[in-house]
């Protein structure tokens, strides 16, 4: 199970965060700070997972963003890398070549996509077409709401 997911810029700014386990605000801030420092300090050509506390941190860097997940110690790291890649592919299709600015200015859409893929830290939907259909439906509902 994924405990939390972070999107971090190379400068260490958190662009998106989603927690699937209960943590106090103080614990979340410390976890984000620790994980950011840990991931950003690693060389690019190094392994993309590491043990952290009683969990594992799995990350993948795409352009200027790190996609980071914290998973349970018994979970498979390679499957989690595939989940990250799946999330990136869906974002890329939705935003037509996604970049960091898309996620900054449309963070709510990135959350829609993430919520369609993951439910309570578990992979919910693997079909990119189904995810995009639901996200586009959500966008159309938001546009209708703006017009009224």
């Amino acid at each position: 199970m994924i405990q939390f997911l972070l999107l971090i810029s190379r400068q260490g700014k958190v662009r998106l965060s989603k927690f699937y386990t209960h943590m106090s605000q103080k614990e979340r801030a410390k976890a984000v700070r620790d994980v950011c420092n840990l991931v950003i300090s690693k060389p690019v050509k190094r392994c993309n997972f590491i043990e952290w506390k009683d969990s594992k941190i799995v990350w993948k860097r795409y352009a200027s963003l790190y996609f980071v997940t914290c998973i349970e110690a018994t979970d498979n790291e390679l499957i989690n890398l595939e989940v990250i890649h799946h999330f990136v592919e869906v974002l890329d299709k939705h935003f037509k070549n996604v970049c960091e600015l898309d996620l900054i200015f449309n963070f709510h859409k990135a959350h829609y996509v993430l919520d369609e893929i993951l439910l309570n830290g578990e992979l919910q939907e693997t079909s990119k077409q189904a995810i995009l259909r639901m996200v586009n439906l959500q966008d159309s509902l938001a546009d209708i709401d703006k017009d009224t």
Side-chain angles (χ1 to χ4, degrees), residues 5 13 28 39 43 50 55 68 70 77 87 131 137 146:
L5 182 135
K13 294 190 186 284
R28 285 183 184 195
V39 169
I50 192 168
S55 305
V68 182
C70 178
E77 302 92 351
F87 179 45
I131 294 166
L137 181 63
K146 277 186 202 173

Side-chain angles (χ1 to χ4, degrees), residues 2-3 12 22 66 69 71 88 114 117 121 124 131 134:
I2 296 174
Q3 296 174 3
H22 176 71
Y66 290 93
T69 58
I71 60 174
V88 171
L114 185 59
I117 295 173
Q124 175 67 22
I131 294 166
M134 295 309 292

Side-chain angles (χ1 to χ4, degrees), residues 57-119:
I57 302 297
V58 180
W59 73 91
K60 182 80 173 140
R61 181 176 163 196
Y62 290 92
S64 65
L65 285 174
Y66 290 93
F67 289 74
V68 182
T69 58
C70 178
I71 60 174
E72 294 176 350
T74 57
D75 287 349
N76 187 328
E77 302 92 351
L78 298 176
I79 290 175
N80 203 263
L81 281 173
E82 285 299 316
V83 170
I84 291 171
H85 187 69
H86 181 59
F87 179 45
V88 171
E89 284 181 327
V90 174
L91 286 174
D92 201 46
K93 283 189 177 189
H94 181 69
F95 287 109
K96 315 283 190 279
N97 199 9
V98 69
C99 68
E100 186 176 350
L101 288 175
D102 290 328
L103 298 176
I104 292 170
F105 293 117
N106 297 300
F107 65 91
H108 57 286
K109 290 182 183 181
H111 275 281
Y112 294 157
V113 171
L114 185 59
D115 289 343
E116 289 298 323
I117 295 173
L118 297 175
L119 180 66

